[in-house]
Amino acid sequence: MIYFHWIYLLLYVVITVPAIITVLMDNRQPAKTMAWILVFFFIPFIGIIFYFFFGQNTRKERLISDRSMDQLTKRSMLEFVEQENLHLPDSNKPLMNLFANQSWALPFKDNQVDIYTDGYDFFLTLLYNIGQAKHHIHLDTYIFEADALGYLIADALIDKAEQGVEVRLIYDDVGCWKVKDEFFERMRDAGIDVHSFMPVRFPAFTSKVNYRNHRKLCVIDGKVGFIGGMNIALRYVKGDKKQAWRDTHLRIEGGGVYAIQRAFLVDWYFVDRTLVTNRQYYPPVSAHIRNNCLVQIVTSSPISPWPDIMQGYVRILLQARKYVYMETPYFLPTEPVLFAMRTAALAGVDIRLMLPRHADAKLVEWASRSYVMEAIEAGVKVYLYTAGFNHSKLLVSDDNLCTIGSTNIDFRSFENNFEANAFFFDEGMAQRVKAVYLRDEAKSILVDDVSYFVKRPFLQRLFESTVRLLSPLL
């Protein structure tokens, strides 16, 4: 018995000490470091498994070389883009510089934008534009469901591929776990170049299961671009069995399409190791689009040096003078974002946060309640959307900037996922997005007192506070 005791103690030391040293050398936030050390200390064997799947720090990894990024940006997009009379607004120059300096998210003018808040209208438009394609279709999506809508879009892509149009498709492997391989093989057999993003096959790539491509991008002939929050699934049109679905997506013509194209081709190099840099993928902007509607397509990922989009949200909240209105389906904010929200609200800025009254994932809904209570206590106005599940990810501030994309206000989007948002610096766009927000607010209830949550039974609140500890993994 003593013999087994010493063997266990030896294994405990051999496993725990290197794990603790690894976490310490990551130089993360002290709270995160201490959390992982406690996990290793009390449940070493299970803790190692959790760390392998969910805890590794990938920001120092260089999965795409600087040379390749140089070719995908400076030697492709910049070579074909010449912007005359580009005027950057003084009030937002620091934010625009932040994005440009960190990830080559360059500002582009001359943009014509359509906003879609209904899945039916969006997918009809997407199908129409796919049907108009002459040279190439680039599609990057988190979920490509094998339902009636998925087959409809797959058939449209197959039809274009058979006509000789280049079709490239990236889908997320984990996002499409329930989709059978035959669905994508059918497209491959028709000539579509299909890749899953970071496939999870035990034991290869298993440690990357937590890092998913959550982007929703589409570029057609380099002239039309789509970006937003809608995946390819019938529930975005008809809702699910419990409730209707509401989301927001954009169709862009103009200079911003160059940036969406670049974002897709970076992902394409990631999955295919092919540098696509030809001029034909960056055609001239149509002469009829001439305005100073500025957009930056900002991407973030767990392998970039900085959490770009999260830093952008913090900057917007702290620079706001009048208001910041936000919609997100999930609210599990990182500490910098929650701190910025509380700071802005306490400074008298009108901070409004809209969430679904009922989320599509109960565990996330429970975990978010303690964060919501903290926000309300600082003066943030929290609205619960009652007309269904609101999956929108949007923000508008001070009538001069707004953003729509794939990024939720949660740990996973800010730190673990590959995300993409369009940031607009234009009064007209800001007013349009503000109108979208206010229409949704009219279908929401205001929760201005934490008693709305506190009146629940003690054990339920204790459970929710416990689930909050899992926020970085949800």
Side-chain angles (χ1 to χ4, degrees), residues 317-425:
L317 285 160
L318 295 181
Q319 76 179 22
R321 294 179 177 273
K322 297 178 181 178
Y323 75 87
V324 180
Y325 301 161
M326 297 173 285
E327 292 186 15
T328 179
Y330 315 114
F331 186 64
L332 302 170
T334 56
E335 185 55 36
V337 171
L338 185 59
F339 178 82
M341 289 177 65
R342 293 193 306 236
T343 300
L346 289 168
V349 179
D350 183 8
I351 306 297
R352 302 186 192 182
L353 172 69
M354 187 183 301
L355 307 168
R357 186 175 188 180
H358 300 293
D360 64 333
K362 277 296 180 185
L363 200 61
V364 175
E365 184 178 336
W366 293 329
S368 71
R369 283 175 179 163
S370 61
Y371 291 108
V372 172
M373 289 169 64
E374 284 188 55
I376 293 173
E377 287 172 345
V380 175
K381 297 173 184 174
V382 174
Y383 290 84
L384 301 181
Y385 184 80
T386 61
F389 178 60
N390 191 340
H391 192 251
S392 293
K393 309 96 166 34
L394 64 82
L395 176 153
V396 58
S397 176
D398 287 355
D399 289 351
N400 60 37
L401 74 88
C402 59
T403 181
I404 291 171
S406 64
T407 309
N408 303 309
I409 302 179
D410 65 8
F411 283 88
R412 178 163 295 282
S413 276
F414 287 141
E415 297 190 346
N416 297 333
N417 282 347
F418 293 73
E419 303 282 5
N421 268 46
F423 285 80
F424 292 91
F425 304 90

Side-chain angles (χ1 to χ4, degrees), residues 6 20 24 101 200 222 251 254 320 388:
W6 282 106
I20 290 175
L24 286 171
N101 291 337
V200 177
R251 178 187 183 274

Side-chain angles (χ1 to χ4, degrees), residues 169 187 257 346 350:
L169 168 65
M187 286 188 270
V257 181
L346 289 168
D350 183 8

Side-chain angles (χ1 to χ4, degrees), residues 230-271:
M230 294 197 201
N231 293 292
I232 299 173
L234 193 58
R235 60 181 173 273
Y236 289 83
V237 179
K238 298 180 65 176
D240 58 20
K241 294 179 181 178
K242 298 179 180 179
Q243 55 189 339
W245 277 56
R246 223 304 270 135
D247 211 330
T248 308
H249 216 90
L250 302 175
R251 178 187 183 274
I252 301 175
E253 286 187 70
V257 181
Y258 287 122
I260 300 176
Q261 183 78 287
R262 182 254 187 179
F264 175 87
L265 292 176
V266 169
D267 280 357
W268 189 254
Y269 177 74
F270 190 90
V271 299

Side-chain angles (χ1 to χ4, degrees), residues 42-172:
F42 288 107
I43 47 172
F45 302 105
I46 296 175
I48 291 292
I49 294 172
F50 267 93
Y51 181 77
F52 180 70
F53 279 99
F54 304 110
Q56 297 184 66
N57 187 359
T58 59
R59 291 209 178 273
K60 296 178 182 178
E61 295 184 18
R62 299 299 297 170
L63 299 186
I64 300 180
S65 69
D66 290 333
R67 180 175 178 275
S68 297
M69 287 297 290
D70 182 80
Q71 287 183 271
L72 286 163
T73 303
K74 298 177 187 176
R75 298 184 187 177
S76 57
M77 184 171 68
L78 294 184
E79 181 183 345
F80 312 134
V81 177
E82 182 179 351
Q83 298 192 87
E84 297 179 354
N85 302 317
L86 181 63
H87 301 292
L88 305 182
D90 290 334
S91 59
N92 287 312
K93 271 187 180 179
L95 178 61
M96 300 177 81
N97 288 337
L98 173 71
F99 292 143
N101 291 337
Q102 289 190 159
S103 60
W104 279 96
L106 304 177
F108 290 92
K109 66 184 185 71
D110 299 333
N111 292 285
Q112 181 175 298
V113 185
D114 297 318
I115 303 174
Y116 294 92
T117 59
D118 176 85
Y120 184 83
D121 292 336
F122 164 66
F123 286 110
L124 279 179
T125 302
L126 178 64
L127 283 165
Y128 173 79
N129 281 270
I130 288 173
Q132 297 296 304
K134 299 292 190 292
H135 181 262
H136 67 270
I137 300 168
H138 292 161
L139 180 59
D140 191 346
T141 186
Y142 177 62
I143 295 172
F144 199 141
E145 202 72 72
D147 55 20
L149 177 65
Y151 273 101
L152 186 63
I153 291 178
D155 287 345
L157 296 174
I158 289 171
D159 182 60
K160 300 311 292 189
E162 290 175 345
Q163 294 176 28
V165 174
E166 297 176 13
V167 183
R168 296 180 175 91
L169 168 65
I170 303 171
Y171 68 91
D172 188 79

Side-chain angles (χ1 to χ4, degrees), residues 158 169 171 181-196:
I158 289 171
L169 168 65
Y171 68 91
D181 291 340
E182 290 82 356
F183 179 74
F184 296 108
E185 286 300 326
R186 176 170 168 264
M187 286 188 270
R188 289 190 182 98
D189 292 342
I192 297 174
D193 205 347
V194 181
H195 282 280
S196 63

